[in-house]
């Protein structure tokens, strides 16, 4: 896989002889490949960050770009048709075209879970890998690890001048009571745009969405609010934080933010 990874980055055709790989999707709103590393014992900002790599039809890539206040930013770029097909075929070579769960060989009480999703022949398959990279990887775990390194190198190697700001149609407001992290708390602020604690309960917190004419104001509010700001909404609701996270093209609402452990 290391040789294959080098081939991807230099533009050569990967060796996937014997694999029956379908043509990748072309719709830029169709999720094709996603890598998301979930860390245990994470605070609200880490949980709300975008997946480390999201690939859509036609080679559209969206990656997180850090926090601007309480607003999570994202950038996007488009792979060349050749590079897009290479990554797609490498994902199949890594064994991601069927759902599986790869536990850690030894015991662990605190680790990570990599969730890798690949759309193949019209189905989105999910692979989960527990505590990837904590030891010497072999077999299927090694193939997934090598593939992830290839994808990360590809994203980092992209010329920043070729990327643009990702402009979502919707953002999610994610509200969590209290704060679980080392970010300095600030003074309480008055929340005026509805009650964010009256949303849909998700793995990332209470969720409501905003779009259309309200979107610029919500994004400006997020940028102007330091991480850890304590909000209040009425006399009975205080001491919660609100994070603004863009929804990806395949995310239509709050329910899509829940952790996806297996999808056939």
């Amino acid at each position: 896989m290391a040789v294959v990874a080098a081939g991807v980055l230099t533009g050569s055709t990967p060796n996937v002889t014997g694999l029956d790989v379908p043509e990748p999707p072309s719709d830029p709103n169709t999720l094709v490949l996603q890598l998301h590393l979930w860390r245990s014992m994470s605070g609200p900002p880490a949980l709300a960050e975008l997946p480390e790599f999201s690939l859509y039809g036609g080679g559209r890539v969206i990656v997180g770009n850090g926090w601007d206040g309480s607003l999570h930013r994202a950038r996007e770029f488009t792979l060349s048709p050749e590079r897009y097909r290479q990554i797609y075929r490498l994902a199949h070579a890594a064994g991601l075209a069927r759902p599986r769960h790869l536990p850690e060989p030894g015991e662990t009480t605190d680790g990570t879970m990599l969730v890798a999703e690949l759309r193949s022949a019209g189905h989105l398959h999910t692979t989960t890998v527990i505590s990837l990279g904590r030891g010497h990887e072999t077999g299927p775990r090694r193939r997934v690890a090598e593939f992830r390194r290839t994808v990360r190198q590809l994203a980092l190697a992209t010329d920043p001048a070729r990327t643009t700001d990702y402009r979502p149609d919707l953002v999610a407001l994610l509200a969590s009571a209290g704060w679980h992290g080392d970010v300095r708390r600030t003074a309480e602020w008055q929340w005026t745009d509805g009650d964010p604690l009256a949303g849909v309960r998700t793995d990332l917190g209470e969720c409501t969405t905003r779009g259309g004419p309200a979107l610029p104001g919500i994004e400006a509010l997020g940028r102007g609010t330091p991480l850890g700001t304590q909000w209040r909404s009425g006399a009975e609701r205080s001491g919660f934080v609100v994070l603004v996270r863009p929804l990806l093209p395949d995310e239509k609402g709050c329910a899509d933010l829940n952790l996806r452990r297996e999808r056939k």
Side-chain angles (χ1 to χ4, degrees), residues 128-247:
T128 57
V129 189
I130 303 300
S131 298
L132 186 66
R134 295 188 69 172
H136 180 66
E137 305 295 354
T138 60
R141 291 174 60 92
R142 181 179 180 180
R143 288 193 290 274
V144 174
E146 292 286 357
F147 175 73
R148 177 173 176 246
R149 279 194 286 270
T150 296
V151 169
R152 295 179 71 185
Q153 291 173 17
L154 174 63
L156 293 174
T158 301
D159 182 357
R162 294 178 50 232
T163 70
T164 60
D165 290 329
Y166 171 58
R167 302 294 185 185
D169 294 327
L170 290 172
V171 296
L173 303 183
L174 301 169
S176 301
W179 186 259
H180 307 285
D182 57 2
V183 179
R184 180 176 57 87
R185 294 188 178 189
T186 65
E188 290 189 355
W189 290 56
Q190 182 66 46
W191 184 267
T192 59
D193 186 37
D195 186 356
L197 292 179
V200 176
R201 180 165 296 181
T202 71
D203 293 339
L204 309 186
E206 298 292 328
C207 172
T208 57
T209 60
R210 300 290 190 278
L215 191 56
I218 291 296
E219 290 180 328
L221 184 66
R223 284 192 297 270
T225 305
L227 277 175
T229 295
Q230 298 291 295
W231 291 89
R232 66 177 183 268
S233 178
E236 301 301 323
R237 293 179 178 268
S238 63
F240 60 93
V241 296
V242 177
L243 303 172
V244 184
R245 178 199 185 276
L247 291 187

Side-chain angles (χ1 to χ4, degrees), residues 39-51:
R39 294 179 173 86
S40 63
M41 306 299 291
S42 295
L47 292 175
E49 290 178 352
L50 291 176

